[in-house]
Amino acid sequence: MVEIINKGAYLYKNQGILGYEDNLVIDDITSFLKEKGEVTPNLNKILNKDYARKNTISYDILTRHNTTDNTEKLRIKFDALASHDITYVAITQTAKASGLKEFPIPYVLTNCHNSLCAVGGTINEDDHVFGLSAAKKYGGIYVPPHEAVIHQYMREMMSQCGNMILGSDSHTRYGALGTMAIGEGGPELVKQLLSKTYDVDYPEVIAIYLEGETKAGVGPQDVALSIIGTVFKNGFVKNKIMEFVGPGIKNLSADFRIGIDVMTTETTCLSSIWCTDDKIEEYYSIHGRHEAYSKLEPTNVAYYDGLVKVDLTKIEPMIALPFHPSNVFSIADLNKNPKEILQMVEEAERAKIDNPNVQFNLTNKIVDGKIRVDQGIIAGCAGGTFENLRIASEIISDHSLGNDYFNLSVYPASQPIYLELIKDGAIAKFIQAGAVIKTAFCGPCFGAGDVPANGALSIRHTTRNFPSREGSKPGLGQISSVALMDAKSIAATAINGGILTPATEISIPSVDLSYHFDSSIYNNRIYNGYKKPENSSELKYGPNITSWPEMLPLQDKILLKMCCVITDPVTTTDELMPSGETSSYRSNPLKLAEYTLSRKDPHYVERTKAVQVIEKNRQAFLHGDAAADISELKTICSKITNVEITEETLTSISKKIQFGSVIFAVKPGDGSAREQAASSQKVLGGLANIAEEYATKRYRSNLINWGMIPFTINAQDKITFEVGDYIYIEGIIDAIKTSKSEIPALLIGKSTKKDIKLKIGELTEDEKSIILAGSLINFYASTK
């Protein structure tokens, strides 16, 4: 079904695998190439890795967007940017504080995450008004609430073959349309708005080789989950480019490819790109942008750093059980062994839930030997495409969803899709069956819409099923579960009374999938001010939009107090900063910070605030405040120096030591690109993270851009941290400036003290300067 080949692979254009690095058969390659018209191939040249790796689609796109001659250290400028209403306020505020005058490239501000009027005590429309005022002032593109989810608008109106787009949402993926797109934290967009570059080492490129054709009942989510389940846990494509090639591509429609592509984020890859053909050309023509199409495929013989072979004929309807898209099983296998598999998942996930009052249960969903679910959702950038909903409507047509607990909600990804579904009768079929139709909104993906009841199991064609993401609050004793499935199997389950059913077990009706895009919908509502900034106009601020607090430069000696220790194999950004109603305070850094780690470690904020108070007292003490309580600092300094600290020596020491909080997690940062996971730690006085490795580049970049040090440790050193530990480091400024491979530190526990080694890893010169300055804002303010 899906096979990883962990060695270099040579492909000829999009037509076949020539062989692998360690077993090339020259005679076979010569014959193959001659059949393709390469009459006298120079094998010494075309099988040279350095030459052949330049023939990938990825190499062409990346090097064309690179602003230097160094192809190993890329400094990229993008063609367009995209944000939504959880991120664009902070991005604009940061860029403004750093000297923004005008958006230099098309910047799309969408409103699909906080579309509801008021959630969590703030008025979201205040941010929308701010967004429109920013588009007017700086020359941006503003997409009002409910018009389109961010990625559907970018597909329909901004993608272009060979271009690159940067978005402040992790699912920024338009590779199926020939656009290499990357999801990053907001500060990386700020850099582009200030005409700076996105700096990254040239990534490895992995071929995703598709062959065969999917069977009836199998959809894009099934293919995506099959790939994620194979490559996530071993990190095979982590921070790499997934380049989709192979003869199977031609058997997939544009919407089908888009549905696979958007889920590549869940593999932890850096980005994706696909070969393009007449079906993608047709997609652009339908959307009135034929000029955006060009044919993309590897040229001649291309070398890839690895290959994932996907036999589409063997893909079955799949399900990703709680609480990760990689926790994948075939629905058929799950239905054959429901108790065994669900018990296994229960045990694994219960071990991660600290609250004994949480009653996490999946086996209670087994009724008469079958799995009964409570809710179905088809929504967002993954599920709300035209073809998904059109086929689902035909499956559900003339059926009843019943009046029991099971319910189904459907969210078209854009108003043009919604209108077309109305015109062809699909919406009527959904409504008649009992489904509820809603507008373009990302809420079901992050816990702000259709939140399941406590103990409920929801099946969703959306992007993620992380713990707490769908509104669960384990810290308060509430938990619900989400499983990811394809729209076809959700529809099959819906007509079977909520009994889990793969779509291969029903008859899939023949469906007319012809589509007409009505551009008047956007022409009548979208504000497009690109290259037309109204510099004299004012930004419009609501009461919940506040500026960032002061962030001090890094000092040469730092004392870190461990305020949270997470030993889970992977920690998501949703655990670091919960989504859902917490994002109501996305534009108010101080209020948002109150939710940091609230569902994973409810006492974290209290602990780190206490550290922040000590640091403030240290500063007050240095300014002559005799009443400042510095007793804890005095105690820990005595442990560092092994001598009793007097007030005189403490004054000297306090001038040189910066006190801040730190968290440890084995592998933090999987999932969302939202920089709040890092910035909120910084707002609360955080100076660093310590990890064995970082799950994604984007989370590490977020830490750096907020002036936090991304420390790592070697797993084999078996360093154990506990909440309350101190880590003391001298000479950190020189260590960062000179890129020291190891940084000595002193770990002080309740009853122990020992030397440890920390690492930071490679940093660009700008990244070093940002950390030393204390934040990206400080860095740009100092360079104005």
Side-chain angles (χ1 to χ4, degrees), residues 206-493:
I206 304 297
I208 312 299
Y209 189 82
L210 305 181
E211 55 188 359
E213 188 171 359
T214 56
K215 65 185 73 171
V218 170
Q221 187 81 318
D222 300 316
V223 179
L225 293 178
S226 297
I227 295 172
I228 294 164
T230 303
V231 305
F232 174 79
K233 291 185 175 67
N234 57 25
F236 186 63
V237 298
K238 179 182 174 182
N239 293 332
K240 302 173 186 177
I241 304 291
M242 297 173 72
E243 187 162 313
F244 285 77
V245 295
I249 291 178
K250 69 178 183 297
N251 298 321
L252 305 176
S253 69
D255 263 11
F256 202 115
R257 299 178 204 184
I258 286 168
I260 298 171
D261 185 63
V262 71
M263 293 297 292
T264 59
T265 295
E266 305 311 322
T267 67
T268 68
C269 74
L270 179 69
S271 189
S272 63
I273 195 69
W274 291 57
C275 295
T276 60
D277 56 18
D278 57 346
K279 292 182 180 177
I280 302 305
E281 183 175 19
E282 180 186 33
Y283 181 94
Y284 280 114
S285 294
I286 288 171
H287 290 83
R289 299 194 299 118
H290 185 269
E291 73 285 352
Y293 173 77
S294 62
K295 186 174 180 59
L296 301 181
E297 66 177 6
T299 57
N300 300 319
V301 174
Y303 174 83
Y304 295 86
D305 298 287
L307 185 142
V308 178
K309 187 181 288 187
V310 183
D311 186 347
L312 296 172
T313 63
K314 295 181 180 179
I315 301 292
E316 298 290 335
M318 308 299 286
I319 183 169
L321 290 172
F323 286 107
H324 198 275
S326 66
N327 198 14
V328 176
F329 302 85
S330 76
I331 299 175
D333 284 345
L334 177 59
N335 282 341
K336 287 177 186 175
N337 307 285
K339 187 173 182 180
E340 177 185 348
I341 292 175
L342 294 181
Q343 276 185 339
M344 178 179 66
V345 174
E346 279 180 354
E347 291 171 7
E349 299 307 325
R350 280 174 182 164
K352 301 175 186 177
I353 300 172
D354 296 329
N355 189 344
N357 296 321
V358 172
Q359 302 299 314
F360 174 57
N361 199 320
L362 290 175
T363 51
N364 63 0
K365 300 302 174 185
I366 303 172
V367 179
D368 298 328
K370 297 179 181 180
I371 299 173
R372 185 182 297 276
V373 301
D374 304 291
Q375 183 190 64
I377 306 287
I378 307 173
C381 57
T385 59
F386 174 76
E387 287 186 8
N388 276 341
L389 298 182
R390 185 70 184 86
I391 295 169
S393 73
E394 287 298 324
I395 292 173
I396 289 174
S397 180
D398 297 326
H399 289 81
S400 169
L401 302 184
N403 56 8
D404 212 333
Y405 291 106
F406 180 82
N407 61 85
L408 176 67
S409 292
V410 172
Y411 294 74
S414 70
Q415 287 292 80
I417 290 174
Y418 198 163
L419 179 59
E420 190 71 358
L421 292 169
I422 290 173
K423 288 180 176 179
D424 66 18
I427 294 297
K429 292 172 182 177
F430 276 125
I431 292 174
Q432 287 169 341
V436 177
I437 312 300
K438 302 180 181 180
T439 51
F441 178 41
C442 297
C445 287
F446 72 99
D450 282 300
V451 176
N454 181 56
L457 174 61
S458 176
I459 53 173
R460 302 186 172 200
H461 193 154
T462 55
T463 55
R464 289 200 175 119
N465 61 337
F466 292 168
S468 305
R469 189 171 180 85
E470 313 304 339
S472 300
K473 297 181 180 179
L476 299 177
Q478 175 196 344
I479 191 151
S480 55
S481 301
V482 167
L484 301 181
M485 285 170 47
D486 189 80
K488 295 183 181 71
S489 291
I490 293 174
T493 300

Side-chain angles (χ1 to χ4, degrees), residues 166-169 182-186 188-189 198 673 697-698 701-702:
L166 182 67
S168 59
D169 183 274
I182 297 175
E184 277 282 1
E188 291 299 330
L189 276 78
Y198 177 77
K697 175 197 173 297
R698 56 183 172 268
S701 295
N702 284 337

